[in-house]
Amino acid sequence: MAAPHPPRTDDWWRDAVIYQVYPRSFADGDGDGTGDLAGVRARLPHLAELGVDALWFTPWYASPMVDGGYDVADYRAIDPAFGTLDEAEKLIAEAAELGLRVIVDIVPNHVSDQHVWFRQALAAGPGSPERERFHFRPGRGEHGELPPNDWPSQFSGNTWTRVPDGEWYLHLFTPEQPDLNWAHPDVRREHEDILRFWFARGVAGVRIDSAALLTKDPDLRDFTEGVDPHPYIDLDEIHDVYRSWRAVADEYGGVFVGEVWLPDAERFARYLRPDELHTAFNFNFLACPWDPDRLRRTIDDTLAEHAPVNAPATWVLCNHDVTRTATRYGREDTGFDFAKKRFGIPTDLELGTRRARAAALLTLALPGSVYLYQGEELGLPEADVPLDRVQDPMHFRSGGTDPGRDGCRVPLPWEAEAPSYGFGTHAGTEPWLPQPADWGRHAVDRQTADPGSMLALYRTALGVRRAEAALGDGPMRWLPSPEGVLAFARAEDLQCVVNLSGAPVDLPPHTEVLLSSEPLPADGSLPTDTAVWLRT
Ligand code: NOJ
């Protein structure tokens, strides 16, 4: 195993590689078919050996799991399927011993309908102070039979649900995820307390779910396409929330990463002002097609929008909500768009994997921090989940057209020959989502033995990135390059070159090839869909 490593700087988050753990599908320590904290603890050496700096855990709190844990019933308890608070504390400590920081996921926009506040609100009835923590309203229409407004959902379908006493409540996601009222002082106080609860337990950072959605138009006015401001996305008042949060984080030296999906670069950068969030996910890069001009423009835009607020960029290729990289890059349309998700889109996995390898080196050479979603280091494709096993509410709320997000959430393969590919400990137990029949070829043990595997590429790349001070935070400079080729310098003597043109190109002069995403031919050329790190 690699030796524990000290942080490179106090500003570790400016260039960290952060591995996203989806606990339900990472490793099952108690053999019930669902991943858990015991499983993560047992597999921590894999993560240390991989060479990442921090682990972000998607929600591990008590939850009915209607939306994979993003429906939180109690932010201070671990879901019994995952373990206990005591285990979480042990995990945080054990990770720290291996040099791995822990980031937890806070979901401030909504709670589960099983959260004590929502149950109290339902019981207390219309006009009660308990209802004021949410958005309860009478309906429109003669008998209040119509929802209070026309807001579009983040998940397709309705945004209001009527309760037996006739009032309606707002939920931007599923009915089991009622939205909190962020104009209420209890809501603000409670969340600052939750932040303290987790920072005091040694977590280094917090990922903020749906970070641009918290505050709502006070009159809940209707949505009109094209009219600004939007009644619930990115209201100015939200920044006041994050300024208070930042003061809390600063007490502990904690950092934030916001889930901010906003097309407007200037509005996006507001979240990253020095007294607000440290970082936010760069979804424009994730959504960008495998196209040299589009990628270059996205990289330039990203760096330009972060520069005025002196925030580091983040680079994200995949997460638990989107189609896996190898599958996406093998399709005709290599971009990502929630609205375009469909069953059965053809893909060339060999091509997609080759591009995913090149994208890994591109991403790890860019200035800023990098997020790596579990299974990306294994090159996992999007799995086909049989219709009768689909669980994701996004599928059901779309009326069945959207395949949902289960295909990127299938339990990881650890051992090619073991039952459930080593995910679980009990031979007879089926994982909560079925694994494809060929999952074994992606297994960690098989890839560990293969120097040409995706896992080997990631391990080497992360090692080189750690050793080379010029990689990570800092300047980058585009270099002249043939059409379809991205070439940039991270230091006088370090270059990254990615060939997205359809034909081989000559490698620029260099003294050493530090790493390449494919074996290089002897003629000094760089094949198509291949990336290389060069010493020059
Ligand atoms: C974003 C999360 O990443 C996603 O998984 C979840 O369904 C929504 N927010 C709602 O919490």
Side-chain angles (χ1 to χ4, degrees):
M1 188 199 315
H5 44 265
R8 297 220 291 211
T9 63
D10 288 336
D11 287 347
W12 64 274
W13 47 276
R14 292 191 71 93
D15 59 6
V17 178
I18 298 157
Y19 184 97
Q20 178 187 355
V21 180
Y22 195 76
R24 209 177 180 186
S25 301
F26 186 76
D28 171 16
D30 65 4
D32 65 354
T34 294
D36 48 35
L37 302 191
V40 177
R41 288 171 66 195
R43 298 287 188 184
L44 280 175
H46 168 74
L47 300 169
E49 205 172 327
L50 181 58
V52 297
D53 303 292
L55 312 176
W56 150 35
F57 288 87
T58 53
W60 55 16
Y61 319 107
S63 163
M65 299 285 160
V66 170
D67 183 20
Y70 284 94
D71 47 321
V72 180
D74 181 351
Y75 293 95
R76 296 178 184 80
I78 300 295
D79 193 87
F82 294 154
T84 62
L85 185 58
D86 178 57
E87 280 181 283
E89 289 173 358
K90 291 201 171 97
L91 192 168
I92 295 166
E94 288 160 4
E97 277 169 31
L98 294 171
L100 301 166
R101 292 179 160 90
V102 167
I103 294 175
V104 293
D105 203 326
I106 297 289
V107 189
N109 181 68
H110 42 268
V111 291
S112 160
D113 63 350
Q114 298 308 308
H115 189 282
V116 60
W117 278 7
F118 194 72
R119 291 181 192 234
Q120 287 169 349
L122 283 186
S128 62
E130 287 84 353
R131 287 212 172 172
E132 287 170 15
R133 291 171 175 152
F134 298 89
H135 299 283
F136 276 90
R137 290 289 185 283
R140 296 202 277 205
E142 205 182 328
H143 307 288
E145 72 282 10
L146 299 172
N149 70 23
D150 67 352
W151 286 2
S153 171
Q154 292 292 302
F155 263 9
S156 63
N158 56 342
T159 47
W160 292 89
T161 291
R162 199 172 193 192
V163 299
D165 59 44
E167 280 205 320
W168 298 72
Y169 67 90
L170 174 72
H171 51 87
L172 295 184
F173 296 89
T174 70
E176 293 83 3
Q177 294 166 293
D179 277 46
L180 287 166
N181 173 12
W182 273 87
H184 197 298
D186 283 0
V187 172
R188 294 192 54 159
R189 215 174 304 122
E190 168 68 356
H191 275 84
E192 290 179 17
D193 205 62
I194 294 166
L195 292 176
R196 289 202 164 83
F197 180 89
W198 286 104
F199 282 137
R201 277 167 180 73
V203 311
V206 168
R207 179 252 187 202
I208 307 168
D209 186 70
S210 305
L213 306 183
L214 277 45
T215 46
K216 313 290 187 300
D217 177 87
D219 303 324
L220 304 184
R221 68 180 163 79
D222 278 345
F223 166 75
T224 317
E225 188 82 55
V227 170
D228 280 342
H230 191 284
Y232 71 74
I233 298 178
D234 186 36
L235 269 60
D236 285 339
E237 293 71 29
I238 206 164
H239 296 285
D240 190 40
V241 172
Y242 294 135
R243 279 190 281 268
S244 322
W245 282 31
R246 179 60 179 258
V248 175
D250 285 348
E251 288 170 31
Y252 297 89
V255 303
F256 293 120
V257 54
E259 190 208 12
V260 183
W261 291 85
L262 287 181
D264 182 316
E266 192 271 330
R267 298 290 307 185
F268 175 87
R270 288 181 189 215
Y271 290 77
L272 302 177
R273 289 176 289 198
D275 58 347
E276 298 192 38
L277 310 183
H278 303 73
T279 55
F281 294 121
N282 179 1
F283 291 119
N284 293 338
F285 184 73
L286 179 154
C288 185
W290 185 246
D291 170 275
D293 300 330
R294 301 273 299 269
L295 279 169
R296 180 167 171 157
R297 207 173 327 130
T298 305
I299 293 167
D300 281 341
D301 290 350
T302 298
L303 296 174
E305 81 199 25
H306 285 75
V309 285
N310 189 31
T314 66
W315 306 101
V316 190
L317 289 172
C318 197
N319 66 29
H320 64 294
D321 292 331
V322 310
T323 312
R324 287 239 184 226
T325 317
T327 299
R328 189 156 46 90
Y329 281 162
R331 291 176 173 170
E332 191 180 330
D333 177 357
T334 49
F336 178 76
D337 184 346
F338 280 109
K340 291 190 188 156
K341 286 190 74 185
R342 289 294 174 270
F343 285 97
I345 302 176
T347 184
D348 175 346
L349 261 187
E350 204 179 307
L351 177 67
T353 302
R354 184 181 178 94
R355 291 174 170 170
R357 293 173 65 90
L361 294 199
L362 166 64
T363 315
L364 289 167
L366 290 168
S369 62
V370 174
Y371 282 82
L372 177 56
Y373 174 47
Q374 71 179 36
E376 289 291 284
E377 81 279 24
L378 306 177
L380 292 187
E382 186 83 358
D384 283 327
V385 175
L387 256 190
D388 62 346
R389 300 290 298 274
V390 169
Q391 305 222 2
D392 183 18
M394 255 188 148
H395 166 71
F396 299 106
R397 287 174 62 88
S398 75
T401 52
D402 179 336
R405 300 165 294 180
D406 296 318
C408 66
R409 299 175 175 181
V410 169
L412 294 189
W414 293 92
E415 295 153 39
E417 304 298 338
S420 71
Y421 306 103
F423 167 69
T425 47
H426 285 204
T429 315
E430 270 263 309
W432 73 280
L433 281 177
Q435 297 160 303
D438 66 348
W439 226 217
R441 73 191 174 93
H442 302 290
V444 172
D445 62 351
R446 200 160 278 183
Q447 297 204 34
T448 299
D450 174 5
S453 68
M454 185 72 94
L455 181 58
L457 180 71
Y458 265 104
R459 282 182 180 156
T460 311
L462 290 171
V464 175
R465 183 179 153 106
R466 191 181 296 286
E468 294 291 333
L471 294 174
D473 201 17
M476 75 170 267
R477 184 167 53 88
W478 290 110
L479 300 166
S481 61
E483 177 138 358
V485 175
L486 299 176
F488 55 93
R490 291 304 318 273
E492 277 320 304
D493 63 348
L494 205 154
Q495 294 182 8
C496 174
V497 186
V498 193
N499 182 4
L500 292 97
S501 78
V505 295
D506 288 339
L507 277 174
H510 57 275
T511 53
E512 186 190 351
V513 174
L514 293 174
L515 188 57
S516 62
S517 64
E518 302 293 332
L520 295 178
D523 65 1
S525 69
L526 180 65
T528 188
D529 289 324
T530 304
V532 60
W533 290 354
L534 298 177
R535 176 91 62 217
T536 54

